[in-house]
Amino acid sequence: MTKTQDIHSPEFLRGDEFSIPTFRLLKQDGSLYEGAQAPELPRELALRIYHSMVATRVLDERMLAAQRQGRLSFYMQCIGEEAAVIGATAALDDADMIMAQYREQGALVYRGFSYDEFMNQLFGNELDYGKGRQMPVHYGSRKLHYMTISSPLATQIPQAAGYAYGQKLADEALCTLCFFGEGAASEGDFHAALNMAAVHEAPVIFFCRNNGYAISTPSIEQFAADGVAPRAFGYRMHVIRVDGNDILAVLAATREARRIAVEQNKPVMIEAMSYRLAAHSSSDDPSGYRSKKEEEVWREKDPILRMQHWLIDQGWWNDDEEKALQESLRREVLETMKRAEKRPPPPLESLVSDVYADVTPALQQQLDQLKRHVRQYPDAYPKGARSLDPDVAAGHDASDNDASQGGK
């Protein structure tokens, strides 16, 4: 039953009394704020986190360039939000589930997803785990406990609440972390998920990357309240707001959030205040809705530089190591991309081979029709034609007799 306190004259509340501070530990120059204490972070783990941040940045810069060259159809960058994504991931158990939106490739980098695995998905080749069925940047990895990305906004939020409830029932001592942007928090799925998680006491961390824009819509036009964090009070949920560019603060906040989620079976919300330095996607031009001056202010708050300064202050990093890392990663990205581009697409049979346990006659008929069509117009489907008949050059019509034999 709802607990209330009686009053005898009308008093309306606006929620202004809920002023949520921002948790910060690390200044941009790499020093700690007065009174702040860094979380336990051994050198090896710190360098793993930093390497993951730089590797994500290098991947993003190179793949956007590839998209501009016409080698890739679409791309979305994590630039400016690496600390929020990787800092949160580093605070988890590697067996905790991550449900992401579409800008969290850094979480996969940290958990060991290789550049080859990224490239195979981006180019949709025969080694792509999704068999070429998804848009680029829709990654997924069962072995790394990273749920495959869905294009529709906010679908992962209620899924995370349900998955975490399953973890609780299984008594696994694990949690689910769900990434989403502040724009996704305007979807109805967000509220349904938070209510479900609170009522059923699911061990889930709702991690909102408040990066300032939902595509071209600034936060000020999305909601009148003080960001997303105060909404947690409506569901009686633990909540913290953190500087999303401060790797130490994100790490410390998420560690404590995980402790609450796992030990108490309680949902937690984290709102990480950051900025999307890149465009929303390769199809977006941010110059139409924000100024270069605004972007430059946030470039000076670059989360990678902030951590780099801290590492140097610890005596754990130097300029020579930075140069060697950058050169090594750029070379690896280019070499991996060239390999992925040369790999053939998934075989056409994969379109139907795992839809049912046994391919139905109707699906087989459609597949045979598709093969005949590709053979009839090989110039329009050069990769498909070569995958059907490697010995037949694209542009040369294959016989109907070959098509009737299923492309063998």
Side-chain angles (χ1 to χ4, degrees), residues 347 349 364 371 375 387-390 401-408:
E349 283 81 359
Q364 186 61 52
K371 288 180 177 180
R375 283 198 169 94
S387 69
L388 281 175
D389 296 294
N401 183 53
D402 286 340
S404 68
Q405 296 178 33
K408 303 297 183 185

Side-chain angles (χ1 to χ4, degrees), residues 15-25 33 208 210 226-233 238-244 246 249-250 253 269-274:
D16 293 337
E17 60 273 30
F18 300 124
S19 178
I20 299 181
T22 301
F23 174 48
R24 291 188 170 93
L25 294 175
Y33 284 95
C208 177
N210 189 337
D226 176 28
V228 176
R231 301 182 194 181
F233 295 135
H238 291 83
V239 62
I240 188 171
R241 174 177 287 154
V242 62
D243 181 346
D246 180 344
V250 173
M269 181 190 287
I270 298 175
E271 182 180 23
M273 310 305 292
S274 186

